[in-house]
Amino acid sequence: MTTAIPHEHTSGNMTLSRFSSLIGTLKLLAFMLRRDRIRLPLWVFGLSLMMLYFANALGTVLTDEALTSMAALASSPMFALIGGPGYGFDSITVGKIIVGVYSVYIMIGAALMSILTISRHTRVEEQSGRAELIRANIIGRHAPLAAALILVALMNLLLVGLLAVIFQFSAIEVDSFQSSLLLASSIGSAGLFFAGVTAVTAQISAYSRTASGIAGVVLAVSFVVRGLGDMSFVQGGNLGWMSWLSPLGWAQQTAPLTLDRWWPLIISLLVTTFLIALSFVLQTRRDLDAGLLPDRLGEATAPTWLRNSLTFAFLLQRSTLLWWSFALLLGGLIFGAFVQPMAENAEGMPPEIMIVFGGSDKMVEGYLGFMGLYFAIMSAIYAILAAQSLRTEEEMVRTETLLAAGISRKGWLESWALVTMLGSLILQTLAGFGVGIGASLTTGDWSLCRSALIGHIIQTPAVWLLFGIAITFYGIAPRFIGVTWAVFAWGAALSLFGDILQFKDAVLATSVFRTIGQYPNETISWGVIGLLLALSIALLTIGVQGFRRRDLVAT
């Protein structure tokens, strides 16, 4: 016996099907807001506190003499690399310093917030199997992605509002609220852009680590491209157009307090809209829990070298390490090539630059030493992300399966730590090799290759100490592993800007990156290196013992 479907019901289903892909979006949004009731305010208020600190502390501390020094530093390509093009520094104010130097790092924070949030609520949900359970209800195909994008948009809008108010009513005394709103909007536009990037990468790969990693590579490339363009711009070169290839460059080209132009944000908005639309189109072309890139079939039997936890940890990190190695080697070659222009223009640079780099006769050595510090900060990002990957493995229930196969907790964590520490050493070596080769090719002095290589390698213990902090949190309280990023940010900020802002030595000494010495411009402090190694081992030991005693967690 068959039953005919009433015509009215069929017509209703056809009408419903037109909008079914977004059914349940608001309910999922409410659920995501509840899940992120702690993460959301931590991200938004944390980035807002950075602006609050910069605006009020610098507005109170910087004297007229310090402002004059900052104006002189604006002509340095190194200053353009770490901050930006320095619009309006010919009539410098504290507000322009924040806009031209510090705002890019809040943009990076907003970008990371968006990348991790989109990945958490899309690809991680599919990878863990929770998305399949949710889709068993009346939930549209595109609803999870749409809800995640709306959530990130709300986070960035809230961030924009708070930043604008903080900047306007800080000790800087900004005249126009339009400038404050423009600065905040430029930061929010960077966050939204990388939300769109991650929405696309989440469709490409079936794994959250790869999706977030590709988005992170886009962020890193954006920073490097912007830096190269700005370095050329301040030197009067012909590569300034490269800044316009970077979403971070679009945000900085608004130049609040100087040019106050909104139209560069239109570029960011249009590209973001295209990326979001592309992500929905790509999602219709793949199955749930699958990526557009097909999974590579493994061998029927494991290779002979894959016999223990150490080789398995290397297998899991191999792809990430290869990408990072390529990026840092290429970055080293590019930045090393700037040694010759720095040396040629040394006599014409302001005295403040001479002090930072040890005088005009030590400009090359000072630049190489700074590059060792700069790439140590990059390698520390790799190490901290590797530590966070341990928690992801645990939440995806893969760690539990691995431990059930006869691998001890101690052996697994120690193996992962060893691979990460050797990986960071390899990254520093490749970066130093790249800088040395680039410098030697442009100057003809091949002794610089050795100096650059040593100067980069000796910075590795600082990276290991941060990794040890992250492992300690993972072993004892994995939910607080993100605190490591605060320690990292503090150390990086003091290393990059501490001398410029004339902080006291006691404050500068709290940065983990400033303890070893920037060889070849400074003497290597071997005692400090030994202390950092001892602290790293102690922290790793604490983390391993904590991991052995606590229960495995899953979300």
Side-chain angles (χ1 to χ4, degrees):
M1 180 178 178
T2 60
T3 303
I5 300 177
H7 175 72
E8 295 81 7
H9 184 66
T10 304
S11 176
N13 281 341
M14 292 177 61
T15 303
L16 182 62
S17 65
R18 299 175 184 175
F19 306 97
S20 60
S21 62
L22 294 176
I23 286 179
T25 298
L26 294 181
K27 289 184 178 179
L28 280 178
L29 176 61
F31 177 65
M32 292 176 183
L33 286 169
R34 185 181 184 280
R35 284 190 64 195
D36 285 4
R37 62 188 181 278
I38 297 178
R39 294 180 77 256
L40 188 153
L42 283 178
W43 271 111
V44 173
F45 290 121
L47 293 173
S48 299
L49 285 174
M50 288 180 62
M51 177 63 77
L52 182 66
Y53 172 77
F54 290 150
N56 288 282
L58 298 181
T60 303
V61 172
L62 287 182
T63 62
D64 292 339
E65 180 181 356
L67 285 175
T68 303
S69 299
M70 294 290 286
L73 288 171
S75 62
S76 165
M78 190 58 24
F79 197 84
L81 170 64
I82 64 177
Y87 285 119
F89 276 24
D90 51 344
S91 56
I92 196 167
T93 63
V94 176
K96 291 177 181 178
I97 291 176
I98 295 173
V99 170
V101 180
Y102 296 92
S103 64
V104 68
Y105 295 95
I106 304 180
M107 293 175 193
I108 293 175
L112 291 173
M113 175 184 73
S114 299
I115 290 172
L116 297 177
T117 303
I118 291 292
S119 180
R120 167 182 168 84
H121 291 293
T122 56
R123 181 48 66 183
V124 171
E125 291 297 288
E126 292 188 39
Q127 194 173 339
S128 65
R130 291 189 291 265
E132 187 173 3
L133 295 176
I134 293 176
R135 289 280 295 276
N137 294 282
I138 306 177
I139 297 294
R141 181 186 187 90
H142 298 314
L145 178 57
L149 287 168
I150 294 173
L151 173 63
V152 171
L154 291 175
M155 294 174 72
N156 281 279
L157 286 174
L158 180 59
L159 178 63
V160 167
L162 288 174
L163 292 179
V165 172
I166 289 172
F167 193 71
Q168 179 67 31
F169 297 101
S170 63
I172 299 173
E173 298 181 356
V174 180
D175 294 333
S176 172
F177 183 74
Q178 178 183 347
S179 297
S180 300
L181 184 60
L182 177 58
L183 172 62
S185 298
S186 64
I187 294 172
S189 70
L192 289 176
F193 176 87
F194 284 96
V197 170
T198 314
V200 172
T201 60
Q203 316 310 317
I204 295 175
S205 174
Y207 302 100
S208 59
R209 183 188 303 167
T210 304
S212 300
I214 297 175
V217 169
V218 175
L219 175 59
V221 171
S222 299
F223 184 84
V224 171
V225 170
R226 178 218 53 85
L228 292 175
D230 290 341
M231 288 176 75
S232 179
F233 173 78
V234 299
Q235 287 183 307
N238 54 6
L239 296 178
W241 55 268
M242 292 183 65
S243 299
W244 291 93
L245 300 179
S246 168
L248 298 178
W250 301 334
Q252 287 192 314
Q253 291 298 328
T254 58
L257 300 179
T258 303
L259 301 178
D260 280 332
R261 51 190 183 188
W262 288 84
W263 63 264
L265 298 185
I266 298 177
I267 303 175
S268 182
L269 179 61
L270 290 176
V271 178
T272 300
T273 303
F274 169 77
L275 290 172
I276 292 174
L278 179 61
S279 68
F280 284 110
V281 172
L282 295 178
Q283 191 176 50
T284 62
R285 299 177 181 272
R286 68 174 181 87
D287 295 329
L288 183 68
D289 198 27
L292 292 175
L293 294 178
D295 294 339
R296 186 177 62 181
L297 296 178
E299 300 292 338
T301 58
T304 55
W305 58 269
L306 193 61
R307 294 180 179 273
N308 51 54
S309 58
L310 181 62
T311 54
F312 187 67
F314 168 73
L315 178 65
L316 293 180
Q317 296 195 49
R318 179 178 58 183
S319 177
T320 303
L321 182 58
L322 286 175
W323 278 106
W324 273 88
S325 298
F326 172 77
L328 264 63
L329 177 60
L330 179 61
L333 287 169
I334 294 173
F335 290 132
F338 275 88
V339 166
Q340 185 63 27
M342 291 285 290
E344 292 175 350
N345 298 320
E347 295 297 335
M349 289 187 181
E352 291 77 10
I353 288 290
M354 299 300 101
I355 294 174
V356 172
F357 289 109
S360 59
D361 57 333
K362 288 189 176 182
M363 175 61 71
V364 173
E365 290 81 358
Y367 181 84
L368 294 179
F370 181 85
M371 282 292 100
L373 171 68
Y374 184 81
F375 280 106
I377 294 174
M378 298 296 105
S379 298
I381 296 176
Y382 159 79
I384 298 173
L385 288 175
Q388 287 188 313
S389 296
L390 281 168
R391 191 183 179 203
T392 302
E393 292 292 314
E394 187 174 340
E395 291 178 345
M396 296 295 104
V397 200
R398 290 192 290 265
T399 300
E400 185 176 2
T401 304
L402 184 67
L403 297 177
I407 297 177
S408 67
R409 292 194 180 201
K410 180 175 181 291
W412 169 240
L413 190 52
E414 288 179 345
S415 297
W416 190 274
L418 180 58
V419 170
T420 304
M421 295 173 74
L422 289 177
S424 58
L425 176 60
I426 291 172
L427 293 180
Q428 282 297 103
T429 302
L430 290 174
F433 180 75
V435 170
I437 293 296
S440 299
L441 287 175
T442 55
T443 62
D445 183 2
W446 288 94
S447 64
L448 297 180
C449 191
R450 175 180 176 275
S451 298
L453 190 61
I454 295 175
H456 282 68
I457 292 176
I458 62 167
Q459 297 292 337
T460 309
V463 178
W464 289 347
L465 180 61
L466 285 171
F467 177 70
I469 295 173
I471 290 298
T472 298
F473 279 113
Y474 172 72
I476 298 176
R479 287 193 173 188
F480 297 97
I481 194 172
V483 175
T484 311
W485 287 111
V487 180
F488 163 81
W490 174 259
L494 288 180
S495 299
L496 296 175
F497 308 115
D499 289 322
I500 297 174
L501 297 178
Q502 302 177 2
F503 285 150
K504 295 182 179 179
D505 291 340
V507 177
L508 297 176
T510 60
S511 170
V512 64
F513 296 109
R514 294 184 57 91
T515 53
I516 295 174
Q518 298 179 28
Y519 183 86
N521 188 44
E522 298 176 358
T523 304
I524 301 174
S525 179
W526 295 105
V528 171
I529 290 178
L531 177 61
L532 293 180
L533 290 175
L535 289 174
S536 301
I537 294 173
L539 290 170
L540 289 172
T541 302
I542 294 173
V544 169
Q545 295 302 318
F547 181 61
R548 292 178 62 187
R549 288 172 170 78
R550 71 169 173 83
D551 294 332
L552 295 179
V553 298
T555 58

